[in-house]
Amino acid sequence: MPISAISSFPLPFSPLRGFGVARVLESKNPDYKKGDLIWGTTGWEEYSLIAEKEALFKIQHTDVPLSYYTGILGMPGLTAFAGFYEICSPKKGEYVFISAASGAVGQLVGQFAKLMGCYVVGSAGSKEKVDLLKNKFGFDGAFNYKEENDLDAALKRFFPEGIDIYFEHVGGKMLDAVLVNMRDHGRIAVCGMISQYNLDKPEGIHNLMCIVYKRIHIKGFAVFDYFDLYPKFLDVVLPYIRQGKIVYVEDIAEGLESGPAALVGLFSGRNVGKQVVVVSHE
């Protein structure tokens, strides 16, 4: 298995599982033969026995880095595509805000939005990431949420007319501030809430009535519900990559032994871009 993405689904007495890229060494399934390249759910290990093929995709296009199939052409890419286009129903000229915007999904949502002619602002947790959003991904604006004492004021600074679309990765205080700043009939795609995952007592949200007053459409989603869109997704995104209309940043750690530290680093924002662990170069 050459590459593993950071995304774990632990099972009792078994290796952590996540999305990875692998080469088939042996197969009893007629759909896969020795030498095929695949991406999908694999173990954090050098060799995996995969019994369920429903979460596997055969890699047909190898003119891009294989690691892209853990990111822009894999689960994060399809998550960004489905969440933005299917849930948010964007229109040209709309105002889009993305939290955790420099991550594997956020960097793509922002670029999709810019390609549609939207105004795009993202939040991130360091000056390096803010600079990345503005100078590499083409966001109209970005801010370091750690340096903002008042998130509501920060959002009003960038969105004086309000927010049409919010792509949610963070939850907590950020979501509370966004709700106040949403425009009527705004849409929120809830992809995750990383600020809440390790709390003993999750933070409450105080501005929920904004959903009623502003008729906001808010929807949580999981990428598994949109796997049927994968061929359409490739038809759209591969040309963007080849034409240089979309760029992608990865944070690559070498060796399976570096996996635990890379995983823990996600929760403190240590990674810049999609966190990938290279298990083997073969």
Side-chain angles (χ1 to χ4, degrees):
M1 181 190 311
I3 299 163
S4 181
I6 294 296
S7 177
S8 60
F9 306 95
L11 299 173
F13 310 109
S14 66
L16 290 175
R17 298 182 67 77
F19 289 94
V21 173
R23 187 184 301 277
V24 177
L25 298 179
E26 184 178 335
S27 175
K28 294 182 179 179
N29 188 306
D31 295 334
Y32 301 90
K33 65 180 185 300
K34 182 178 179 179
D36 282 348
L37 292 168
I38 58 97
W39 75 266
T41 304
T42 62
W44 285 34
E45 53 194 354
E46 292 182 345
Y47 301 94
S48 285
L49 176 63
I50 301 174
E52 299 178 4
K53 71 181 182 93
E54 286 74 16
L56 289 182
F57 297 85
K58 194 178 294 187
I59 294 173
Q60 307 285 2
H61 305 277
T62 57
D63 59 324
V64 296
L66 284 179
S67 59
Y68 277 17
Y69 288 93
T70 70
I72 186 172
L73 294 176
M75 180 274 289
L78 185 57
T79 299
F81 184 85
F84 184 62
Y85 292 112
E86 298 295 316
I87 294 175
C88 295
S89 302
K91 304 178 188 68
K92 182 178 179 180
E94 288 194 311
Y95 300 99
V96 178
F97 176 56
I98 305 155
S99 56
S102 68
V105 176
Q107 59 176 285
L108 293 175
V109 175
Q111 292 179 85
F112 289 152
K114 287 302 300 177
L115 286 166
M116 278 210 68
C118 297
Y119 169 80
V120 182
V121 173
S123 64
S126 71
K127 181 181 183 303
E128 178 187 10
K129 292 179 180 180
V130 167
D131 289 343
L132 195 69
L133 293 175
K134 293 189 292 186
N135 300 325
K136 191 172 185 69
F137 300 138
F139 282 47
D140 296 288
F143 63 91
N144 182 349
Y145 70 90
K146 295 178 182 178
E147 297 179 349
E148 300 290 345
N149 295 322
D150 186 335
L151 292 174
D152 175 45
L155 291 172
K156 283 182 167 57
R157 189 167 75 244
F158 285 98
F159 296 99
E161 298 182 32
I163 300 166
D164 292 298
I165 292 173
Y166 174 43
F167 207 97
E168 164 71 305
H169 290 113
V170 173
K173 294 180 177 63
M174 183 65 82
L175 176 58
D176 227 6
V178 167
L179 287 172
V180 175
N181 287 279
M182 291 295 293
R183 302 179 79 181
D184 289 353
H185 305 290
R187 288 85 71 204
I188 300 176
V190 182
C191 179
M193 295 190 178
I194 197 167
S195 73
Q196 307 299 297
Y197 295 161
N198 293 325
L199 298 182
D200 292 331
K201 185 178 180 181
E203 297 172 316
I205 303 298
H206 303 282
N207 295 314
L208 289 175
M209 274 306 294
C210 291
I211 299 172
V212 178
Y213 298 147
K214 301 184 178 189
R215 287 85 76 201
I216 297 168
H217 177 79
I218 180 168
K219 182 176 180 179
F221 72 104
V223 70
F224 310 104
D225 296 331
Y226 296 93
F227 276 167
D228 62 306
L229 292 180
Y230 190 64
K232 176 183 176 182
F233 161 74
L234 286 182
D235 288 343
V236 171
V237 176
L238 274 170
Y240 283 159
I241 295 172
R242 290 167 177 154
Q243 296 163 19
K245 292 183 177 179
I246 282 183
V247 295
Y248 199 64
V249 172
E250 299 173 310
D251 192 326
I252 297 177
E254 291 283 344
L256 187 58
E257 66 278 2
S258 67
L263 174 61
V264 171
L266 292 177
F267 297 99
S268 62
R270 189 177 65 191
N271 61 299
V272 179
K274 171 62 179 175
Q275 183 68 70
V276 178
V277 175
V278 178
V279 178
S280 169
H281 287 280
E282 288 296 324

